[in-house]
Amino acid sequence: MKKYGHKINYYETDKMGITHHSNYVRIMEEARIDFLDQLGWSFIKLENEGIASPVTSIECTFKKPTTFPDLVEVLVTVEKLSALKLTFNYEFSVHGEVVFTAKSTHCFIDENGRPVFIEKKYPDFYADLKKCAGEIK
């Protein structure tokens, strides 16, 4: 998968000129959407299939601040996949230096908010995610 690129905008910085921490979660979502697009499973396709994957947890570590107009490259990988949950890893880098790492865990639910076992209900989506999980060293 290709890395996702995000240029830090001036409005994303705080009074000290550093990217405000709240923006990292937004950029994680942008990168995750891009990852799924590359996989062939856009959010629109997932929603049309009746798949929703709300965030159940986020964990992050700030290593070095970013500022306007840094170009942040985000590598998204699948850390863990089960029938009910999916965990993504995110590695943000600027000029090749890692500045932020994170993970987000998601569950799968249907239109009524009930848990969905994607391996059974959406085997093609599960298989594509599993291939990505297999790319992990």
Side-chain angles (χ1 to χ4, degrees):
M1 295 286 185
K2 293 180 186 174
K3 291 181 180 181
Y4 173 73
H6 177 89
K7 182 179 174 186
I8 300 297
N9 295 292
Y10 185 78
Y11 67 83
E12 294 174 310
T13 61
D14 60 18
K15 189 175 181 179
M16 298 176 289
I18 295 171
T19 307
H20 191 269
H21 66 274
S22 64
N23 290 297
Y24 287 83
V25 174
R26 286 185 330 94
I27 298 167
M28 288 167 59
E29 182 172 291
E30 291 172 11
R32 185 170 61 252
I33 289 170
D34 180 70
F35 175 90
L36 291 169
D37 284 348
Q38 290 183 59
L39 192 60
W41 289 91
S42 70
F43 262 38
I44 292 170
K45 181 177 179 177
L46 290 171
E47 289 175 353
N48 288 340
E49 292 284 335
I51 303 171
S53 60
V55 175
T56 60
S57 69
I58 292 178
E59 180 181 320
C60 52
T61 303
F62 297 88
K63 297 180 176 284
K64 185 177 179 186
T66 59
T67 58
F68 170 78
D70 285 342
L71 176 60
V72 177
E73 291 186 308
V74 184
L75 176 63
V76 179
T77 56
V78 174
E79 177 184 285
K80 187 175 180 183
L81 174 65
S82 71
L84 283 172
K85 290 187 177 181
L86 168 63
T87 300
F88 288 104
N89 280 327
Y90 308 83
E91 183 180 87
F92 288 42
S93 58
V94 176
H95 303 296
E97 182 179 3
V98 176
V99 296
F100 175 83
T101 58
K103 62 176 64 178
S104 64
T105 301
H106 307 257
C107 65
F108 297 100
I109 59 173
D110 64 16
E111 305 87 16
N112 299 312
R114 292 186 298 250
V116 172
F117 290 92
I118 63 161
E119 184 176 15
K120 292 180 183 176
K121 191 163 183 179
Y122 304 103
D124 293 339
F125 180 47
Y126 183 84
D128 288 343
L129 287 170
K130 191 169 182 166
K131 286 178 197 169
C132 291
E135 294 174 358
I136 301 169
K137 297 176 184 175

